[in-house]
Every structure is written in C-alpha cells, then in structure tokens.
C-alpha cells in the first residue's frame, strides 16, 4: 500500500500569512495526488486535482505543487474562511489512501 | 448541479442492523462510481468501499470487507451502506462521494450521516 504522510498535523497562523502543508508518499506516485478541504461539521471539498490543478471556484490563493513523493499545498495569504482541516489523497494505486490531515487554525 | 443527499442521523444500539442511503441527482448516476468514506470522531478519512451503480460492481477496502455491505438501486439513483450487526466502534460520520470520471478521487460529496449509539 502507498502510505501518505502529512505535515504538520496542526498549524496556527495569522491572516495574511503564507501557509505550506506537505504530503509525502511512501513511493513515487507521479502527480496522482489531490487535496481536500474539510470545515468543521461539513463534508470534504475537492480543492486541487492532479497535484496542481485548481478546481473551479477555488480561490487562487490556493495552489498545489510536487511530483513523485513530495507534494505541497500552499495558501498564499491565509484568510479567516480557510480555517479547516486539509487532507491529501493518493490515487496512483489501490487501496486509495488519505493523509492524516492538517488542521489550520487562525491566530 | 451534482448533488448527493444522504439519509439522516441514526441512534442505534449495538447488535442492531442499519442501512443508510445516498441519493444522487444532477448527473448520470449509473456511469460514476460512488464510494463510502468513514470518519470516526476527531479522526481522518477511511475509504470503505466503492460501487459502480451501472452493474453493481463493488470493491471493498480490506479493513471493511465482511463488515458492511454496499449496494445501489439504479431505479432510484440511490446507493446504500448496510450493517447486519452494529458495534459501538461503528460510531462515525459516514460520507458518500462520487468518484471523478476516469480518475480515482472524489469530486462531489454527500453531507454525511452520523451513526451514534445509545446505551
């Protein structure tokens, strides 16, 4: 199975800060990685597909990069509504696996 | 608009059976895989299994095989997740999610169904 490990598990940042969340795969997965955002009490929402493709309607302050085993989700200027938990998911091979999540708190 | 609407919260006792549902609309229900994902309290996302409503081809994640049954009814565009005998450890929010066409990630999610237990 491909394991995906996110870091950090929690971060606290101020409005306007640049935030970077990392996701590492246990073996190379090309760009078969997506990012979801989950707000408290809500379902996950797809933010980025294929490592770097922003979904329609997602603010441009979100971006994704990486390939192989190392990936990042960047929020260029953190906004209050970005308070959420972010998950990565690999889809290079079955079983599909999710990272453990990164909770982003606004200071 | 694509929508997945799930059945409401359930409060059960250990040993009881349960079936929760997920009704799709706004797209061709029979041509997209539908998955069930568990989220235990304060925890991450666990893929339980996935079904292709067009022919009911179903795949289970190893941890959930034999523990639950996934099914679908094409005539009502509804997917189901079923337990024959619930355990207290099944306490969680269960989400259905549509798999993107030709890609194994999830582009639309239901609102979630909470399964809780009474003593």
């Amino acid at each position: 199975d491909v394991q995906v490990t996110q870091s950090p598990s929690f971060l606290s940042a101020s409005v306007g800060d640049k935030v970077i969340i990392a996701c590492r795969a246990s073996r190379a997965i090309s760009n078969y990685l997506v990012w979801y955002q989950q707000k408290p009490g809500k379902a996950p929402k797809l933010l980025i597909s294929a490592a770097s493709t922003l979904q329609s309607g997602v603010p441009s302050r979100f971006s994704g990069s990486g390939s192989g085993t190392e990936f990042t989700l960047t929020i260029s200027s953190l906004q209050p509504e970005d308070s959420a938990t972010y998950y990565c998911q690999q889809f290079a091979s079955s079983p599909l696996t999710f990272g453990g999540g990164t909770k982003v708190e606004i200071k | 608009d694509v929508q997945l609407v799930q059945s409401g919260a359930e409060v059960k006792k250990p040993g009881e059976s349960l079936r929760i549902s997920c009704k799709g609309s706004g797209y061709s229900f029979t041509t997209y895989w539908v998955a069930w994902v568990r989220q235990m309290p304060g925890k991450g996302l666990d893929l339980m299994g996935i079904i292709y409503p067009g022919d009911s081809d179903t795949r289970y994640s190893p941890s959930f095989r034999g523990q639950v049954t996934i099914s679908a009814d094409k005539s009502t565009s509804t997917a189901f997740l079923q337990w024959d005998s619930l355990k207290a450890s099944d306490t969680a929010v269960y989400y259905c999610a549509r798999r993107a066409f030709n890609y194994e990630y999830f582009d639309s999610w239901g609102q979630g169904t909470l399964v809780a237990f009474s003593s």
Side-chain angles (χ1 to χ4, degrees):
Chain A
D1 298 3
V2 176
Q3 308 302 320
V4 283
T5 304
Q6 281 183 243
S7 60
S9 56
F10 174 85
L11 70 86
S12 182
S14 300
V15 172
D17 283 353
K18 181 176 182 178
V19 166
I20 298 174
I21 298 168
C23 184
R24 172 176 290 176
S26 59
R27 67 162 177 83
I29 58 170
S30 184
N31 68 338
Y32 291 96
L33 186 112
V34 300
W35 291 95
Y36 301 96
Q37 176 193 61
Q38 186 179 32
K39 295 186 177 180
K42 301 294 188 183
K45 172 188 171 184
L46 181 65
L47 286 183
I48 289 172
S49 61
S52 61
T53 302
L54 205 64
Q55 297 303 287
S56 175
V58 175
S60 59
R61 63 181 178 274
F62 290 91
S63 64
S65 65
S67 183
T69 62
E70 304 286 340
F71 302 86
T72 58
L73 172 69
T74 300
I75 309 173
S76 60
S77 177
L78 190 67
Q79 299 301 303
E81 61 267 31
D82 302 334
S83 178
T85 301
Y86 295 84
Y87 295 93
C88 58
Q89 179 226 318
Q90 67 81 20
F91 60 103
S93 68
S94 291
L96 309 180
T97 45
F98 293 90
T102 296
K103 185 174 183 178
V104 174
E105 175 193 88
I106 310 296
K107 277 184 189 172
Chain B
D1 284 4
V2 173
Q3 276 201 302
L4 295 171
V5 178
Q6 297 185 227
S7 50
E10 302 275 358
V11 179
K12 307 296 287 183
K13 289 183 164 56
E16 292 186 329
S17 63
L18 175 64
R19 188 176 78 163
I20 62 175
S21 66
C22 167
K23 184 173 175 63
S25 62
Y27 73 100
S28 174
F29 184 74
T30 55
T31 58
Y32 285 81
W33 292 80
V34 174
W36 286 97
V37 177
R38 182 183 73 177
Q39 187 167 42
M40 300 177 78
K43 301 297 185 184
L45 304 169
D46 301 313
L47 177 64
M48 302 174 73
I50 193 164
I51 188 166
Y52 188 73
D55 62 7
S56 291
D57 184 9
T58 308
R59 321 267 173 92
Y60 293 93
S61 296
S63 299
F64 294 94
R65 190 172 293 118
Q67 307 305 307
V68 295
T69 303
I70 293 170
S71 60
D73 181 344
K74 286 191 291 190
S75 68
T76 58
S77 299
T78 304
F80 300 97
L81 176 64
Q82 179 178 326
W83 294 260
D84 291 337
S85 181
L86 286 160
K87 302 186 281 288
S89 57
D90 292 318
T91 298
V93 175
Y94 294 88
Y95 293 100
C96 62
R98 188 185 81 162
R99 202 194 84 174
F101 196 75
N102 282 341
Y103 295 100
E104 294 195 77
Y105 55 82
F106 307 105
D107 62 1
S108 188
W109 294 67
Q111 83 276 21
T113 296
L114 171 66
V115 176
F117 287 82
S118 62
S119 53

